[in-house]
Each structure stands twice: as structure tokens, then as C-alpha cells.
Amino acid sequence: MSKIDQFDAVVIGAGISGMYQLHRLRGLGLSARVFETGDGVGGTWYWNRYPGARFDSESYSYGYSFSKEILDEWNWTEHFSPQPENERYLNFVADKLDLKKDIQFNSKVVAARYLDEQNLWEVEIEGGQRVRARFLITAIGILSAHQFPRIEGMDSFKGQSWHTARWPKEPVDLRGKRVGVIGTGATGVQVIQEVAKIAGQLTVFQLDPNWCSPLNNSAITEAEQTEIHAGYPAIFDACRKSFGGFVHDFDQRPFFEVPQAEREAFFERQYQGRGFGIWLGNFMDTLTDPRANAEISAFMAGKIRARVKDPKVAEMLIPKDHGFGTKRVPMETRYYEVYNQDNVTLVDLNATPIERITPQGIKIGDKEHALDYIIYATGFDAVTGAFKRIDIQGKGGTKLADKWKDGPETYLGMQVAGFPNLFMLVGPHNGATFCNIPRCIEQNVEWVSDCIAHMQKQDLQRIETTETAEAAWTNHVYETTQGLLFSGVRSWFVGSNTPGKKATFLVYAGGRPSYRQNCEAVVAKGYEGFVTSSSISFPESTDPIHLYR
């Protein structure tokens, strides 16, 4: 048998959360190994290298906040940084903290099995390598399990095609080419507005239009750079207090107590401002009151009609199945103007569905769209998808996929009953799933790290949530959606973008402050909802290494 290495902790994924978790585990004196499918760090910003990929959170609100040295040394060049810079930043952090020596790249985790008697997790890597660890920590992301549509003939296409989440590392020259993009979600919007600049002919295949809002990005000036560095404490304090962990927060004034002219002026200011202000800095009532939502939706529809010259095309781009803000709002830079270009055609798939992919392109009805490239901007099996792609088995061989077949059940979005010593960063029903993710990642990692430190201090070997606590938290998650308009809308928030996936709410909608307070209350009550154990009996053949230094 091949040697089975053993660590105190195994982390799956070397993105933002996995990197920080590794850093914190080292700080506790634990041995840790991170397994990463790709050949570099960065997670989302490693895989998503398509044209136009960039932050839609302000750059200075997105980076790590835990290290003043890193904050002082790194300068963001744009208010919303592009993918190449984001990947450079994460490599800068990894090198600064010397993380890569404990990360094994090109290593896809395919299975993880809890060994009851040994109280160890055995993790299997594609190719057969196995390792064991006391703690298993998933850092696999909520939008990492990319998915393709189910269209006949996809393998027959003679040109090149790929999903945006697997854009080639080598340069792709689309100049003068016939390009088709399937999908107009957040990713589709970003890639469409860039490809339209160079393609000979761009055909956009749209199933569901989305409400898109201007990003209003620009380079960061020297004066702004100085202001940002001086203002980091205030920036992160604002993120800590805001509902979604952004620099924007909702206006709590009752919508209809504000005069209509003042409301419209407010909408205009937010529309002309940066980033998510028009969505997450708007009146809170726009997400709870159908009448208020109808007003902001009418405002946004007017903007689309004003920016798109052809009235028929404009109407195709205006959503009819949901109001503004009830799905994730894509950020755009002259996206709507793309459809004024002679080299861009919009195809409404609701009116004329794709019949099949052919060797030459895409066939719809009696028309075949000849293409050189097909780009699938078709999204992800969100939140739970990456978990389903790993065979995770808890006590008694219980499969996580079976436990979650009717929807995820968790405690704090970080643990699952029957799966001891398994922690999930940004897991289902976690505060980080509906948040400026790095801000909530830091809270997750710090909570998990403090929990493990508590176990070290108390000489505890195992921690597991109870089914009662799990059920109570899951019910609470559903309660947070009550009164929110997006709870009844088809989106990845409920998994309805994935064929065959049961529609259940996947994110925590109570807001970052509420989530943090709940986590803190659990600790204050002696880790209420968890069962811990200090007595573990090891078979002689196990020969475990130290549990803690």
C-alpha cells in the first residue's frame, strides 16, 4: 500500500478562503495541506479569465483586511479591478505569507470519508493519492461548479467552444471572427461587452434578460490612492456594519414617505454612482414592497429604452419575469450600447429556442447561425454544486449528497450533523453566500480558527453539530427570506438555474451583521448546538501524528 500522509487539517481549495484558512491554521501551530485542482492560487480569479472579468465590489473593499502590511504594500489600479490584477494580487499574498509550500496543485479531491474509530478524515485525490487529517475544511466556493446547457449536438461543433469558467490560458484571438455567446447573466454581460469590440459578428443567445446597472469604473488616481490607504479602517468598518458587507448599505426611509421627485433624483444619483449602489444602496423597500419595486423597475426600464436605439431590441432586454434587484444585478460598462452595433445580433431564445448545435454553428428553427466560436456563459450549479462533485461520507458512510437531496441542511452554514470535524467555508446557508464574499470569508475563517483553538485549549478531539441545532438553523435561514421579493424568483439563489435541482433557498438572507451576531452568540453560550468529545481511542495500527503542537 502507498503511504498515507497525515495532517492536522486538510483544506480543499486555494482560493481566497482556502489561502486565509491555511494562514490561520499555521498560526495555531497545526500541520495543514491544501489541495487545489488548478496549477495556481486564486480560485474564482484563477479560473475565470474571460475578457471583461473583474470585481463588481470596489477593489479596496474586496482585498484581505487582516494584514496591515499587505494593505500598505498593495495598490489597486482601478476602482473595480480586472481579473489579471486580481490573480496577481492573490499570488502576491500567497508569496508574502509563503503559503504555496503547503499547497498541492493539480490535485482534484474526489472523495472524503470520515473514519469513525480513528476520528480522522481520509481524503482521496484524483489519481489515487490518499491523506488523512483530524479536520477537513472545504473552501470550494459558491460559484465554482460550472455547468453547460443540455443542447443536442454540442460535441459536433467543428469550431472552438468553452465555458467562461474554463477560458483558455493561452491568448484567444477573436478579431473578425463569428462568435456566439449563450447566456446573459453577470458573466455573459461582462464577456459580451468586450467581445463586441473585436468580433466580426457577435450573436448573443439570450434566454432570460437581466436588469443591468452601470459599473462606472475608472482608474484610481494618486490622490484617491492616498485617500484609500488612509481610509482602510473606515472602509472595513462600513463593510462590517452593512447588510451585505459592501461599502453600500440600504436607505431605511419608508419608500412612500419620500416625495416621488426626491425618489427619482435619488435613483438617478445611485445610477450614476459606482457599483452596487443602485441595488444595495437603494431604499430597502425596493426589495420588499412590490409597489416600490415596480417603481425602480420602471426607472431601470426607461434607462434601457434610452440607451438602445431599436425599440424591439430594447424590449427584448427588459426583464418581464422579475423586478429589479430580485436577482443578482450584473454590472456593466456600455453593455446596452453593444446592441446598437451593426456587428451584434440578439436572439431571443424564449421566442425561438435552440434546436441543436451543428458542426457549423447553432440551429434555431429554419435558421443556422454560422459560428467560429461558441462561448458558454451558462453559469454554475451554485452553492451546493461543488459539494456534489466530491463523494463526501460522514459517520456510518452517510453520503452528504443523500442528506442534501431535498436541499442543504446546516448549522451556521459551517457544519452538518453526522459529519464531525468537517467545517465549510462559504457553505450553504452561510452568511458569506449573500455577501461581499471576502469580508464574510474572513469572518468564517476566523470563527473556524477560534473554534479549533478552543478545542486545542480544552483538549477536545471532535466537534459535531446536533440535528436539533441543524434543523433550527435551517428553519431560521428560510425565515430570513420571508418578505423578500427574490424568494419567489427563479435564480441561482434557489438553484432553479440548474436542471433537475430542487428549488430550495441556498443563501443566508438575514444580512452580515445578523449572521455575525448569531455566530458570536453560539460561542458565548459555550458553542451551543455542538457536541464535543475529548476521548478518542486509536487502534494500534493507526499511528497518528501529533494532534496539536
Side-chain angles (χ1 to χ4, degrees):
M1 292 180 62
S2 60
K3 179 176 179 289
I4 300 179
D5 291 325
Q6 187 167 310
F7 304 91
D8 292 318
V10 160
V11 179
I12 307 176
I16 296 172
S17 56
M19 287 170 56
Y20 185 36
Q21 185 64 76
L22 172 59
H23 176 64
R24 290 298 297 258
L25 289 168
R26 282 180 175 178
L28 295 175
L30 301 185
S31 62
R33 179 61 52 87
V34 177
F35 292 98
E36 166 57 43
T37 301
D39 62 8
V41 300
T44 290
W45 302 109
Y46 170 88
W47 294 109
N48 291 271
R49 56 185 69 246
Y50 58 85
R54 66 173 61 247
F55 291 158
D56 48 21
S57 307
E58 284 77 1
S59 304
Y60 29 88
S61 79
Y62 194 97
Y64 292 114
S65 70
F66 67 87
S67 167
K68 186 177 185 303
E69 185 178 4
I70 289 172
L71 288 170
D72 288 344
E73 290 188 20
W74 183 265
N75 291 325
W76 297 104
T77 62
E78 299 180 36
H79 285 274
F80 300 92
S81 177
Q83 182 274 334
E85 182 174 340
N86 305 340
E87 189 176 6
R88 286 196 301 273
Y89 167 73
L90 291 166
N91 274 279
F92 162 77
V93 173
D95 293 339
K96 187 77 178 174
L97 302 177
D98 195 21
L99 299 178
K100 293 178 183 177
K101 66 182 182 182
D102 289 323
I103 301 172
Q104 182 173 311
F105 296 105
N106 301 304
S107 300
K108 181 180 180 180
V109 174
V110 295
R113 182 168 61 98
Y114 178 70
L115 307 177
D116 297 69
E117 292 185 2
Q118 295 97 321
N119 186 41
L120 292 172
W121 280 93
E122 183 168 285
V123 178
E124 182 181 347
I125 313 303
E126 190 172 60
Q129 179 188 0
R130 290 183 294 158
V131 299
R132 290 178 178 177
R134 181 75 55 239
F135 299 104
L136 176 62
I137 303 173
T138 63
I140 52 183
I142 60 171
L143 297 174
S144 56
H146 66 290
Q147 61 185 8
F148 287 93
R150 298 174 181 177
I151 303 174
E152 184 181 351
M154 288 174 60
D155 292 338
S156 71
F157 182 57
K158 299 296 186 183
Q160 295 187 55
S161 64
W162 50 76
H163 194 283
T164 50
R166 290 299 182 270
W167 195 275
K169 280 190 174 183
E170 59 274 12
V172 177
D173 188 0
L174 301 178
R175 288 176 296 178
K177 302 298 185 181
R178 299 168 301 178
V179 182
V181 176
I182 301 176
T184 54
T187 295
V189 167
Q190 287 185 329
V191 75
I192 286 165
Q193 63 197 22
E194 294 301 316
V195 172
K197 297 175 182 177
I198 57 174
Q201 177 63 43
L202 171 62
T203 306
V204 176
F205 299 90
Q206 173 185 269
L207 181 61
D208 297 312
N210 282 279
W211 299 101
C212 305
S213 182
L215 186 64
N216 293 320
N217 185 34
S218 65
I220 294 174
T221 65
E222 187 174 341
E224 287 174 329
Q225 197 74 255
T226 300
E227 184 179 343
I228 288 166
H229 280 277
Y232 269 129
I235 289 168
F236 293 126
D237 184 59
C239 292
R240 177 180 173 82
K241 294 175 180 176
S242 70
F243 180 89
F246 294 90
V247 294
H248 313 281
D249 205 4
F250 291 112
D251 191 317
Q252 299 293 339
R253 291 177 294 170
F255 187 87
F256 290 105
E257 289 184 13
V258 178
Q260 183 174 0
E262 188 176 336
R263 296 197 301 265
E264 292 177 355
F266 178 76
F267 291 162
E268 187 63 36
R269 287 195 303 274
Q270 298 299 87
Y271 190 82
Q272 299 300 332
R274 296 191 192 279
F276 281 137
I278 188 66
W279 180 29
L280 299 177
N282 212 316
F283 296 101
M284 183 67 187
D285 289 351
T286 60
L287 298 185
T288 60
D289 187 327
R291 295 177 303 154
N293 186 265
E295 189 169 308
I296 182 62
S297 297
F299 172 87
M300 297 299 290
K303 290 295 186 182
I304 297 171
R305 294 186 181 107
R307 293 171 60 183
V308 179
K309 293 177 181 178
D310 187 332
K312 291 183 179 178
V313 174
E315 291 307 311
M316 290 167 60
L317 292 166
I318 295 173
K320 307 298 192 298
D321 64 340
H322 69 283
F324 175 75
T326 59
K327 286 185 179 182
R328 185 200 185 285
V329 176
M331 296 282 101
E332 50 88 12
T333 301
R334 298 189 61 77
Y335 169 68
Y336 290 111
E337 285 73 14
V338 160
Y339 297 99
N340 298 329
Q341 297 178 200
D342 292 336
N343 69 326
V344 178
T345 301
L346 179 63
V347 177
D348 181 0
L349 297 182
N350 283 305
T352 52
I354 293 176
E355 182 179 315
R356 62 175 289 112
I357 307 293
T358 71
Q360 287 72 42
I362 296 178
K363 188 174 187 300
I364 296 178
D366 58 0
K367 181 172 183 178
E368 184 174 26
H369 297 266
L371 301 168
D372 301 306
Y373 293 87
I374 298 176
I375 299 170
Y376 294 94
T378 48
F380 302 86
D381 183 354
V383 187
T384 57
F387 287 93
K388 290 189 297 185
R389 298 181 184 189
I390 303 172
D391 181 17
I392 301 176
Q393 298 181 29
K395 291 193 303 186
T398 300
K399 291 179 176 288
L400 185 63
D402 291 339
K403 182 177 173 69
W404 284 359
K405 66 180 185 301
D406 293 323
E409 298 173 319
T410 75
Y411 185 43
L412 302 178
M414 287 193 276
Q415 262 218 349
V416 181
F419 294 77
N421 290 357
L422 167 64
F423 292 102
M424 302 177 296
L425 304 176
V426 200
H429 299 166
N430 186 306
T433 51
F434 191 55
C435 179
N436 182 8
I437 286 186
R439 300 283 60 77
C440 295
I441 279 174
E442 287 188 336
Q443 182 274 338
N444 270 206
V445 169
E446 289 159 10
W447 193 95
V448 168
S449 301
D450 288 347
C451 179
I452 293 174
H454 167 77
M455 293 179 69
Q456 287 179 281
K457 185 176 181 180
Q458 301 297 322
D459 194 27
L460 301 173
Q461 310 305 325
R462 188 170 79 176
I463 185 168
E464 178 189 356
T465 189
T466 67
E467 291 185 354
T468 300
E470 179 182 76
W473 179 256
T474 302
N475 288 334
H476 170 64
V477 168
Y478 281 94
E479 288 170 356
T480 66
T481 71
Q482 298 304 306
L484 294 175
L485 298 177
F486 60 69
S487 63
V489 173
R490 293 181 65 256
S491 73
W492 66 259
F493 294 157
V494 296
S496 55
N497 66 314
T498 299
K501 189 171 184 175
K502 184 174 180 178
T504 58
F505 218 75
L506 302 174
V507 304
Y508 179 79
R512 185 189 183 203
S514 174
Y515 178 77
R516 185 182 66 249
Q517 290 163 13
N518 277 299
C519 291
E520 290 172 352
V522 165
V523 175
K525 296 176 182 178
Y527 286 91
E528 183 180 47
F530 291 99
V531 174
T532 58
S533 173
S534 59
S535 176
I536 298 296
S537 176
F538 296 93
E540 290 183 1
S541 60
T542 301
D543 191 26
I545 62 171
H546 69 279
L547 297 181
Y548 306 110
R549 292 193 181 95

